[in-house]
Amino acid sequence: PKPPQFVTDDGSQGSERCWSKLRAHAEDSTPLDYDVVVCGGTLGIFIALALQIKGLNVAVIEAGKLQGREQEWNISMKELEELVDLGVLTEEIIDEAVSTEFPGCRSGFKNSEVTPLEGGYFENGVGYECFTPGVLNLGVSPSVLINSVAKRFLERGGTVLEGTPLKGICISDSIGAAVDMGDGDE
């Protein structure tokens, strides 16, 4: 048989468990489990905390483990400060997470391929280079940021479901959505 559609609003398609849950909700007006489900936790945990701060009941579904890579992420201080303004990060978390700071980045854009190339793109006539001060000029520890944000999210009552691959989503315009996480969970 043909596999069900991954995302569907057709009651004859998708996960029967999800549709049953939506129908039961409609019949007895039980509240849905969450206002928002964020699928993908590595960056999703930041979105989840921001939504939670706005008063929503949020869950994060992550197929693997909620973690970043070992390599630093590059970001600018302006971007981190925007997350402070939203209440997602604190100055203390930023201080702990920033491990490298440099003036800016050199970006190069080729318009033709020359191999081998000695020197810069512009001086060799194969492209353009620019320096962007204050852009992507911080190296931050993904594990510090993710662990700190996840801790704050959980302390505020959020739910993180690690090792939970998403199997499908059923959407009802009048009720909401149900997420199929396999193994009888929705």
Side-chain angles (χ1 to χ4, degrees):
K2 183 178 171 185
Q5 284 184 255
F6 189 78
V7 177
T8 184
D9 62 358
D10 179 347
S12 67
Q13 299 289 317
S15 165
E16 181 52 40
R17 286 191 315 269
C18 288
W19 286 119
S20 294
K21 184 160 188 143
L22 288 171
R23 281 191 293 275
H25 168 72
E27 291 168 6
D28 60 16
S29 298
T30 58
L32 294 175
D33 296 333
Y34 304 100
D35 298 319
V36 177
V37 175
V38 176
C39 302
T42 301
L43 293 176
I45 194 70
F46 296 89
I47 296 165
L49 180 56
L51 292 170
Q52 187 185 54
I53 289 168
K54 296 286 186 186
L56 297 169
N57 182 14
V58 183
V60 174
I61 300 173
E62 170 57 48
K65 188 167 173 29
L66 185 63
Q67 66 182 21
R69 59 186 185 177
E70 294 297 318
Q71 180 182 349
E72 291 179 340
W73 287 345
N74 288 97
I75 194 167
S76 67
M77 184 57 78
K78 181 180 183 298
E79 293 165 315
L80 290 173
E81 288 170 348
E82 288 171 2
L83 292 171
V84 171
D85 292 344
L86 290 171
V88 173
L89 295 179
T90 64
E91 294 293 340
E92 293 78 22
I93 293 171
I94 291 174
D95 289 344
E96 183 182 352
V98 173
S99 52
T100 308
E101 188 170 354
F102 43 95
C105 291
R106 181 185 70 84
S107 301
F109 305 93
K110 284 185 177 181
N111 55 21
S112 63
E113 190 63 42
V114 175
T115 308
L117 179 67
E118 292 184 26
Y121 297 161
F122 188 70
E123 63 194 47
N124 283 289
V126 297
Y128 179 76
E129 294 176 338
C130 63
F131 181 75
T132 53
V135 176
L136 300 177
N137 65 320
L138 300 177
V140 295
S141 166
S143 62
V144 169
L145 290 177
I146 291 169
N147 292 341
S148 298
V149 171
K151 179 180 180 208
R152 295 180 72 215
F153 177 73
L154 292 169
E155 287 172 349
R156 295 175 59 92
T159 301
V160 175
L161 302 168
E162 292 180 294
T164 308
L166 185 63
K167 303 294 186 189
I169 303 170
C170 296
I171 302 168
S172 164
D173 289 337
S174 60
I175 304 168
V179 178
D180 183 353
M181 298 177 287
D183 299 327
D185 295 327
E186 63 279 329

